[in-house]
Amino acid sequence: MKIMYKLLGFIFLGCAVFGVVMPLVPATPFLLLALFFFSRSSPKWHSYIMEHPVFGMYIRNYRRGEMRRSHKTFTLMFMWVSMGWGMFMSGFHLWAVGAMLLIGSAVTLHLFLLAKPASDTIKS
């Protein structure tokens, strides 16, 4: 069973990396699934993801319901540029544009609802 969990962890990790650069493919759920499977099969890979300079901080903040403003800005800019590219590549078909606008709007709202990490606040 450990081998199957490890294999699923790598599959979902690959999907997460793919989701970072492809519109309409969510990275976070795949990354969370990869962590789930690695936590049951490979402490080494679970630790690697949690200590990764990009994914680790992203997951720790996401678990706390937080996201830095700079990361929100970058994520939203990258997402909407990707969505625009996806709409262009679809030939601006109504169903594709509608799906991308709906998903993009939902993700945008979700990101705006995430709090700023406590470590980002300036103490006076």
Side-chain angles (χ1 to χ4, degrees):
M1 197 63 144
K2 270 189 164 186
I3 293 172
M4 190 160 112
Y5 278 177
K6 196 172 193 178
L7 177 64
L8 286 169
F10 283 118
I11 289 170
F12 286 121
L13 180 59
C15 291
V17 171
F18 185 69
V20 168
V21 296
M22 292 300 296
L24 296 180
V25 179
T28 304
F30 290 126
L31 193 55
L32 293 173
L33 281 168
L35 279 171
F36 170 81
F37 287 112
F38 284 139
S39 72
R40 284 152 178 74
S41 64
S42 176
K44 174 185 162 188
W45 277 96
H46 185 269
S47 294
Y48 174 77
I49 293 172
M50 291 305 292
E51 301 301 321
H52 191 272
V54 175
F55 290 136
M57 182 178 56
Y58 181 72
I59 288 299
R60 286 189 300 276
N61 285 344
Y62 190 81
R63 283 182 172 175
R64 290 188 304 258
E66 302 173 338
M67 190 175 199
R68 289 182 174 170
R69 175 177 277 170
S70 60
H71 291 163
K72 284 182 189 180
T73 302
F74 175 78
T75 300
L76 289 171
M77 285 178 22
F78 189 79
M79 180 190 73
W80 282 109
V81 167
S82 297
M83 292 285 189
W85 179 251
M87 290 178 209
F88 174 76
M89 293 303 290
S90 76
F92 294 101
H93 287 291
L94 184 60
W95 66 268
V97 170
M100 288 187 211
L101 287 175
L102 181 66
I103 292 168
S105 298
V107 171
T108 300
L109 177 63
H110 174 70
L111 291 181
F112 276 122
L113 293 176
L114 292 175
K116 186 167 72 168
S119 61
D120 281 357
T121 59
I122 299 172
K123 296 178 181 161
S124 48

